[in-house]
């Protein structure tokens, strides 16, 4: 049968021109059945007039792994797909060929409508802007799209046009697409029309793997209906080179169960969560050089607010500012939705001067809330980003004006450094200590502090005990940091210490890249059946993390350097001395009060 470029109309009213040259009658019927099936799935926005329709033909010239090709005016299909189509009962063959047709039709539509060049599409697809006033991006290079996990087809990452075509395949055929990639599903509905498939019922909550120390590894969720607000959370800077500009995070103000949405939710700290881009779960940054060269991952961790408060205010002695963002309810939901996408798909690279915590936080806001695009708010410093959010009227920093009220309502969390300064002043006035600050006192070799401890009165002993305990926390934090640095610098030299830290790093990696718990199937946000598997795997991860942390703690003393071990031992002697002295002074004063 010979028919060249004969007009053929599909059942949905959309048209293709079928070139049936060289096809047997049964091959023509199989092809028409295929094209009918594909065209019936096209939404209204993708149907074209017959004079603009491409010619569909089978080709022997395509590479075996290439199923189709959209030329200037022709749609080529790999002839290897044709023979299996003759069996109408071969469902897999029908689906494979139909997907090829839809993919190439997507390219034809993209050329007309320019979807893959639309800035909003690029935001959603993962070709993100840079965090500068110009908000530039580099699209088209695989390395620029870091949403590499839980992809339906990694071919989508090669360039935006392929991302559109691959996603259109799934949008038109997968009932779960709107649940797995909800923002893209809404975008495609607006641009091409409703998908013909009956969409699945989606679960509205944000499911994540908890990165907290207590329940680290456990599967948890956030219900957007219980989120009162989202704050820009700034950890103030300190003297460390990688921390002097602060650290950018977002605080999700989650109301306690049973509490109505309102300002009182800000007091429910146990339920609040923090979204923090980090290299590792318990690091802001570890090494300046690795941060400059992009040798650290940049991943989104979900942490308990109370843990973050303790981490910064008590250990790092840095204050926190929690500044509300003026977001509508639908914008809050969009930020949470994008958070879920990042948590399950994103594997970024950290660069101190380009893609740091401030840049990542800005991109999360920019990609979630379209009205923020084009305002020149982006910044690569945490303080600079907060200032620009304030200038644009997005962040409400007026809550910090009244210092006492800000502390009372949870907009500010003071560094324990200020508290330790007050405690030190108590001891200094009591004993006449010659050192200028609590930090200078705690940095002294512990034996050098001991003579002062031995003659402190009741009030001074209580103050010095608090400082000694703070010095112990600082020393332990330094030990952990030294172990991590030792591991990162060890290369192939494995020791017991680096092996324990390696195990902790490997297990902790699941907390920022939880897709590894679901390798081998599915894409986008995990659905109900995948959550069942996640429950079991995350429970095992939680147990493994507890075990490895316990092993690390038990073996830490043997892995310390001599100076570290001696310092901790000396602090322990000081603590015991002060505890005994406090008991004796209490008993002594109690005895004086007896009748």
């Amino acid at each position: 049968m010979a028919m060249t470029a004969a007009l053929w109309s599909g059942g949905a009213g959309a048209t293709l021109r079928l070139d049936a040259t060289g096809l047997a009658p049964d091959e023509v019927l199989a092809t028409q059945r295929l094209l009918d099936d594909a065209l019936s799935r096209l939404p209204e926005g993708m149907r074209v007039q017959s004079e603009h329709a491409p010619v569909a033909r089978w080709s022997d010239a395509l590479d075996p792994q290439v199923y189709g090709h959209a030329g200037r005016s022709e749609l080529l299909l790999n002839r290897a797909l044709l023979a299996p189509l003759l069996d109408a009962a071969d469902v897999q063959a029908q689906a494979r060929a139909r997907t090829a047709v839809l993919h190439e039709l997507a390219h034809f539509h993209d050329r007309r409508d320019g979807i893959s060049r639309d800035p909003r599409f690029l935001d959603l697809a993962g070709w993100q802007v840079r965090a500068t006033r110009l908000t530039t991006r580099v699209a088209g290079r695989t390395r620029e799209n870091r949403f590499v996990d839980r992809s339906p087809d990694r071919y989508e990452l090669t360039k935006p046009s392929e991302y559109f075509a691959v996603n259109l395949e799934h949008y038109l055929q997968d009932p779960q697409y709107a649940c797995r990639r909800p923002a893209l599903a809404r975008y495609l509905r607006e641009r091409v029309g409703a998908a013909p498939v009956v969409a699945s019922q989606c679960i509205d909550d944000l499911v994540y793997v908890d990165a907290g120390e207590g329940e680290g590894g456990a599967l948890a969720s956030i219900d957007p209906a219980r989120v009162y607000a989202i704050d820009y959370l700034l950890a103030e800077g300190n003297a460390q080179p990688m921390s002097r500009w602060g650290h950018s995070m977002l605080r999700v103000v989650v109301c306690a169960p049973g509490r109505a949405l309102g300002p009182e939710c800000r007091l429910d700290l146990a339920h609040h969560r923090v979204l923090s881009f980090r290299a590792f779960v318990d690091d802001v940054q570890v090494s300046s050089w690795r941060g400059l060269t992009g040798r650290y991952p940049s991943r989104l961790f979900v942490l308990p607010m109370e843990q973050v408060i303790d981490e910064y205010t008590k250990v790092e002695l840095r204050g926190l500012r929690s500044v509300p963002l003026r977001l509508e309810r639908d914008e809050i939901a969009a930020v949470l939705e994008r958070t879920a996408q990042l948590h399950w798909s994103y594997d970024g690279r950290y660069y101190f001067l380009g893609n740091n915590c401030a840049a990542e936080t800005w991109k999360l806001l920019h990609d979630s809330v379209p009205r923020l695009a084009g305002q020149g708010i982006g910044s690569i410093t945490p303080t600079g980003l907060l200032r620009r959010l304030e200038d644009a009227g997005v962040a409400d920093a007026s809550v910090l004006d009244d210092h006492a009220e800000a502390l009372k309502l949870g907009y500010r969390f003071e560094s324990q450094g200020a508290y330790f300064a007050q405690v030190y002043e108590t001891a200094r006035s009591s004993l006449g200590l010659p050192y200028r600050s609590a930090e200078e006192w705690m940095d002294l070799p512990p034996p050098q502090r001991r003579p002062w401890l031995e003659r402190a009165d009741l009030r001074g002993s209580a103050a010095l005990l608090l400082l000694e305990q703070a010095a112990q926390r600082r020393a332990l934090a330094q030990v952990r940091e030294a172990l991590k640095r030792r591991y990162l610098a060890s290369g192939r030299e494995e020791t017991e210490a680096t092996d324990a830290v390696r195990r902790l790093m490997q297990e902790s990696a699941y907390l920022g890249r939880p897709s590894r718990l679901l390798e081998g199937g599915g894409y986008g946000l995990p659905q109900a059946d995948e959550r069942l598997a996640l429950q079991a795997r995350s429970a095992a991860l939680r147990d493994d993390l507890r075990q490895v942390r316990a092993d690390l703690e038990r073996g830490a003393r043997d892995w310390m350097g001599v100076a570290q071990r001696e310092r901790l031992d000396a602090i322990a002697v000081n603590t015991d001395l002060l505890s005994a002295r406090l008991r004796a002074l209490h008993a002594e004063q109690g005895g004086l009060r007896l009748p």
Side-chain angles (χ1 to χ4, degrees):
M1 178 177 182
M3 179 171 59
T4 304
L7 182 64
W8 171 80
S9 178
T15 56
L16 280 170
R17 291 178 294 161
L18 173 61
D19 182 351
T21 302
L23 296 182
D26 58 343
E27 292 174 328
V28 172
L29 289 175
T31 304
Q32 289 178 340
R33 188 169 58 238
L34 165 67
L35 298 179
D36 270 337
D37 186 11
L39 293 171
S40 70
R41 296 170 185 267
L42 291 185
E44 188 64 38
M46 289 188 64
R47 297 175 184 174
V48 297
Q49 298 299 317
S50 59
E51 63 268 21
H52 300 296
V55 174
R57 62 169 60 96
W58 295 99
S59 171
D60 293 313
L62 299 177
D63 291 337
Q65 69 274 18
V66 177
Y67 289 169
H69 173 71
R72 294 191 62 180
S73 58
E74 62 182 4
L75 191 162
L76 300 181
L77 292 170
N78 194 320
R79 197 175 182 92
L81 298 175
L82 178 56
L85 287 180
L86 299 180
D87 180 4
D90 190 340
V91 177
Q92 289 186 342
Q94 306 292 328
R96 189 163 53 245
R98 179 181 67 239
T99 297
V101 173
L102 292 174
H103 185 101
E104 303 312 323
L105 287 174
H107 284 311
F108 283 113
H109 182 78
D110 188 30
R111 291 173 190 170
R112 291 193 307 270
D113 205 34
I115 289 177
S116 67
R117 300 184 296 278
D118 177 15
R120 182 61 185 153
F121 173 81
L122 293 171
D123 291 340
L124 296 173
W127 277 273
Q128 298 174 291
V129 298
R130 293 188 177 98
T132 65
R133 286 190 181 276
L134 299 178
T135 58
T136 58
R137 79 178 93 229
V138 178
R141 292 191 234 164
T142 306
R143 69 180 181 87
E144 293 296 326
N145 191 328
R146 299 302 309 177
F147 287 76
V148 296
D149 292 338
R150 290 187 58 78
S151 168
D153 181 350
R154 291 182 68 87
Y155 187 54
E156 69 177 348
L157 303 175
T158 56
K159 52 186 176 181
S161 60
E162 295 300 345
Y163 195 98
F164 169 66
V166 168
N167 277 265
L168 190 76
E169 300 168 15
H170 290 79
Y171 173 68
L172 297 179
Q173 300 181 92
D174 183 3
Q176 289 193 334
Y177 183 82
C179 303
R180 294 181 176 278
R181 287 187 166 173
L184 271 164
R186 288 193 299 273
Y187 176 88
L188 291 174
R189 190 180 307 119
E190 293 171 1
R191 293 298 300 263
V192 303
V197 294
V198 178
S200 300
Q201 186 67 36
C202 301
I203 304 172
D204 291 331
D205 63 349
L206 179 164
V207 65
Y208 66 94
V209 177
D210 194 316
E213 289 183 358
E215 290 300 312
L219 193 67
S221 65
I222 297 175
D223 181 357
R226 286 178 49 211
V227 175
Y228 169 65
I230 293 178
D231 291 4
Y232 181 84
L233 186 64
L234 174 69
E236 296 169 347
N238 61 17
Q240 297 300 316
M242 298 295 282
S243 304
R244 69 179 53 186
W245 303 112
H247 182 64
S248 293
M249 297 167 281
L250 294 178
R251 173 189 181 185
V252 182
V253 181
V254 184
C255 303
R259 190 192 294 278
L261 292 181
E264 295 80 6
C265 296
R266 291 192 168 276
L267 304 178
D268 299 329
L269 285 179
H271 299 276
H272 297 185
R273 291 297 177 264
V274 173
L275 313 178
S276 181
F277 287 93
R278 302 181 175 195
F280 301 110
V281 64
D282 55 352
D283 276 303
V284 176
Q285 291 95 29
V286 182
S287 159
S288 300
W289 174 248
R290 287 172 179 253
L292 286 169
T293 57
R295 293 176 65 188
Y296 284 134
S298 177
R299 294 173 183 157
L300 180 62
F301 293 91
V302 185
L303 298 154
M305 179 66 180
E306 290 179 324
Q307 178 180 318
V308 171
I309 292 171
D310 287 348
E311 171 186 324
Y312 283 102
T313 64
K314 293 182 179 179
V315 178
E316 297 196 24
L317 302 184
R318 297 161 66 177
L320 289 168
R321 284 180 254 164
S322 188
V323 182
L325 298 177
R326 294 185 174 100
L327 299 175
E328 302 296 332
R329 295 299 308 165
D330 61 332
E331 292 174 336
I332 289 175
V335 172
L336 296 175
E337 191 176 86
R338 183 67 169 186
T339 294
Q341 184 184 0
L342 284 157
H343 187 61
W344 291 102
S345 300
Y346 185 66
D347 183 30
R349 288 292 173 266
Y350 175 84
Y351 289 90
F352 180 53
L353 296 178
N355 199 53
N356 53 25
C357 60
E360 293 282 29
T361 302
W362 161 241
K363 288 188 293 183
L364 170 53
L365 292 172
H366 173 280
D367 296 346
S368 306
V369 184
R371 68 180 172 89
L372 299 183
Q375 293 190 33
I377 301 175
S379 174
I380 63 169
T381 68
T383 51
L385 177 54
L386 176 57
R387 184 172 58 253
R388 291 182 182 177
L389 288 168
E390 291 174 32
D391 292 344
V394 179
D396 179 14
S398 66
V399 297
L400 303 174
D401 291 345
D402 186 324
H403 187 82
E405 192 72 4
L407 290 173
K408 177 183 174 182
L409 298 178
Y411 294 114
R412 185 184 290 277
F413 300 89
E414 288 279 44
S415 162
Q416 290 290 291
Y419 171 66
F420 292 142
Q422 294 177 351
V423 170
Y424 179 70
E425 279 304 311
T426 299
R428 186 180 185 184
S429 60
S430 173
L431 291 165
L433 298 175
Y435 307 101
R436 291 173 298 177
S437 66
E439 287 78 9
E440 187 176 343
W441 169 259
M442 288 189 285
D443 286 340
L444 291 173
Q448 196 171 328
R449 297 195 291 265
R450 200 163 297 147
W452 299 96
L453 311 185
E454 292 171 342
R455 55 191 180 89
D457 59 13
L458 181 61
R459 194 159 174 249
S461 294
L464 290 174
L465 179 59
L466 289 172
L467 293 173
E468 212 64 30
Q469 291 168 341
Q472 186 178 50
R473 283 195 297 271
R474 290 179 67 185
L476 287 170
Q478 289 165 359
V479 168
R480 288 195 296 270
E481 183 71 11
L483 281 174
K484 282 181 288 191
R485 287 181 180 276
R486 180 177 167 185
Y487 162 70
L488 292 168
S490 64
R492 297 182 180 180
E493 296 178 8
E494 289 294 331
T495 65
E496 255 192 301
T498 56
D499 182 63
V501 180
R502 177 185 57 80
R503 285 166 53 211
L504 180 61
M505 295 293 192
Q506 287 178 340
E507 298 296 326
S508 295
Y510 289 105
L511 305 179
R513 199 176 181 185
S515 60
R516 293 174 59 191
L517 295 172
L518 280 174
E519 289 179 345
Y523 69 95
L525 306 184
Q527 296 307 296
D529 55 338
E530 295 169 304
R531 291 191 184 197
L532 292 175
L534 271 173
Q535 287 284 4
R537 292 171 186 170
S538 61
L541 172 62
R542 180 185 57 201
D543 294 342
D544 290 346
L545 280 167
R546 287 174 177 170
Q547 183 61 51
V548 73
R549 281 172 173 150
D551 291 346
L552 191 62
E553 187 174 336
R554 279 194 298 271
R557 182 172 177 80
D558 295 332
W559 303 325
M560 293 178 197
V562 174
Q564 290 175 325
R565 188 161 52 242
E566 289 179 349
R567 184 174 187 85
L568 280 169
D569 286 345
I571 291 174
V573 170
N574 286 357
T575 301
D576 290 343
L577 185 156
L578 284 166
S579 298
R581 185 165 179 79
L582 274 170
R583 287 193 297 271
L585 290 170
H586 270 296
E588 191 177 299
Q589 289 200 3
L592 290 175
R593 287 195 294 268
L594 290 174

